[in-house]
Amino acid sequence: MTFGSGEYRYELVEGWDKLPKGWEWGWIPAVACDSQDRVFVNSRSEHPLVIFDREGNFLESWGEDILKDAHGIFIDKEDNVYCTEWETHCVYKFSSSGELLMTLGTPGQPGLEDGKVFRKPTDLAVASTGDIFVSDGYENARVHKYSPNGTLLKSWGEWGAGPGQFELSHCVRIDKDDRVWVCDRTNNRIQIFNLEGEFMTQWRNLLHPDTIYFDPTEDVVYIAEMDHQVSIYTMEGELITKWGGAQKSKNPGEFSGFPHGIWADSLGDLYVGQVQVDAGLQKFARVR
């Protein structure tokens, strides 16, 4: 079965992920690939961070003693792995082999008042400057900017639906031009800022955008939308293709849960994780 259209057509790879015997998936909020096409799956399971090769063969797992409540994942150009934990109010930076390098926030301790770091953070991205941006969305309408060594530089945002305001800053990503894209999920839009948090523009009329991914070789953006849909747009906002039907479906390749995490490997194959359903990881191999 083929999904998408034109140059962006995909085939579902059923049974792709080969978990060790006796292991089971819970919700899968986040997925990312490193420069070697290793696929990192961040889930709310007994084994929270599981790593596969692109063929779905199990390689290793780590983080069982640290990671408690998965929400977002990001892998930078040096293959450092950042895991955002919403219920424990912190972000962890690991080396590609699982060594803990840095912690942002205090595990288990939320910010004491609105605007303070962190109050159920959602995701993270790293700019070309090395600065770190964290979306802090469930109980904070904020984006926080950190230096590479973890010093808080600034925060922006407030509750609302106007430019620079958020109802749920659910994901942050940074494009090749160092523009900061923030999924403002409850407002059905993506807002775009410069690195200093100054509002530039916005995309409206999306279906509760959860997470986005920028293709490093093609000028397209992949959007996992909460309303059971994956969409692909040009960087100018023109819809290329979409699938999922914007309604709950148990059909293979569609979504019975909420698409929550999305990433592509070097060959353009897509990986989508879902919440509100267990074992909701799907791989879509690009047809060329």
Side-chain angles (χ1 to χ4, degrees), residues 10 28-33 39-42 71-75 123-124 170-173 183 190 209-215 220-226 229-233 241-243 255 258-265 268-275 280-284:
Y10 300 84
I28 302 175
V31 59
C33 303
V39 183
F40 290 68
V41 182
N42 195 16
H71 195 276
I73 191 170
F74 183 83
I75 299 179
D123 217 326
L124 176 148
H170 194 268
C171 172
V172 58
R173 292 289 184 261
C183 291
I190 294 172
D210 265 329
T211 311
I212 59 179
Y213 174 75
F214 297 114
D215 192 306
V220 298
V221 55
Y222 302 86
I223 306 178
E225 295 173 273
M226 182 178 174
Q229 182 167 286
V230 165
S231 303
I232 305 175
Y233 286 82
T241 191
K242 61 183 179 181
W243 68 90
F255 307 104
F258 300 149
H260 196 276
I262 191 166
W263 206 280
D265 64 25
D269 294 351
L270 280 181
Y271 304 84
V272 180
Q274 300 174 73
V275 298
L281 177 65
Q282 298 194 76
K283 175 176 179 174
F284 297 89

Side-chain angles (χ1 to χ4, degrees), residues 1 31 61 63 75 79 107 112 130 142 146 149 181 202 249-251 263 281-282:
M1 184 177 296
V31 59
S61 71
I75 299 179
D79 282 346
L112 296 180
R142 300 293 190 278
Y146 288 83
N149 66 6
W181 297 51
Q202 60 186 328
S249 171
K250 293 185 178 180
N251 293 330
W263 206 280
L281 177 65
Q282 298 194 76

Side-chain angles (χ1 to χ4, degrees), residues 62-76:
W62 36 264
E64 286 87 350
D65 57 337
I66 298 174
L67 301 175
K68 305 299 181 185
D69 195 69
H71 195 276
I73 191 170
F74 183 83
I75 299 179
D76 67 18

Side-chain angles (χ1 to χ4, degrees), residues 90-277:
C90 61
V91 173
Y92 297 106
K93 177 183 179 180
F94 298 93
S95 71
S96 61
S97 60
E99 178 188 359
L100 181 62
L101 302 177
M102 182 169 63
T103 301
L104 299 178
T106 302
Q109 182 176 315
L112 296 180
E113 59 186 44
D114 184 55
K116 300 298 183 181
V117 175
F118 291 114
R119 294 168 63 86
K120 294 189 176 179
T122 50
D123 217 326
L124 176 148
V126 180
S128 65
T129 59
D131 290 337
I132 299 166
F133 293 76
V134 181
S135 51
D136 192 9
Y138 281 99
E139 294 181 355
N140 251 349
R142 300 293 190 278
V143 174
H144 307 289
K145 177 181 179 180
Y146 288 83
S147 70
N149 66 6
T151 300
L152 180 63
L153 300 176
K154 69 182 307 178
S155 302
W156 77 85
E158 61 183 8
W159 297 104
Q165 298 178 328
F166 306 106
E167 285 297 333
L168 176 48
S169 49
H170 194 268
C171 172
V172 58
R173 292 289 184 261
I174 300 173
D175 67 20
K176 64 182 182 181
D177 296 319
D178 272 341
R179 297 184 301 170
V180 181
W181 297 51
V182 182
C183 291
D184 187 9
R185 188 176 79 180
T186 304
N187 282 325
N188 293 301
R189 65 179 178 175
I190 294 172
Q191 297 191 67
I192 303 174
F193 304 87
N194 65 19
L195 292 179
E196 296 306 313
E198 296 170 343
F199 176 82
M200 299 176 68
T201 188
Q202 60 186 328
W203 290 11
R204 287 194 171 275
N205 301 314
L206 299 169
L207 298 179
H208 297 98
D210 265 329
T211 311
I212 59 179
Y213 174 75
F214 297 114
D215 192 306
T217 60
E218 302 179 39
D219 286 333
V220 298
V221 55
Y222 302 86
I223 306 178
E225 295 173 273
M226 182 178 174
D227 293 17
H228 314 289
Q229 182 167 286
V230 165
S231 303
I232 305 175
Y233 286 82
T234 68
M235 296 297 289
E236 291 72 39
E238 179 183 351
L239 179 65
I240 298 173
T241 191
K242 61 183 179 181
W243 68 90
Q247 59 185 354
K248 185 175 182 178
S249 171
K250 293 185 178 180
N251 293 330
E254 296 183 342
F255 307 104
S256 60
F258 300 149
H260 196 276
I262 191 166
W263 206 280
D265 64 25
S266 66
L267 297 183
D269 294 351
L270 280 181
Y271 304 84
V272 180
Q274 300 174 73
V275 298
Q276 300 296 328
V277 64

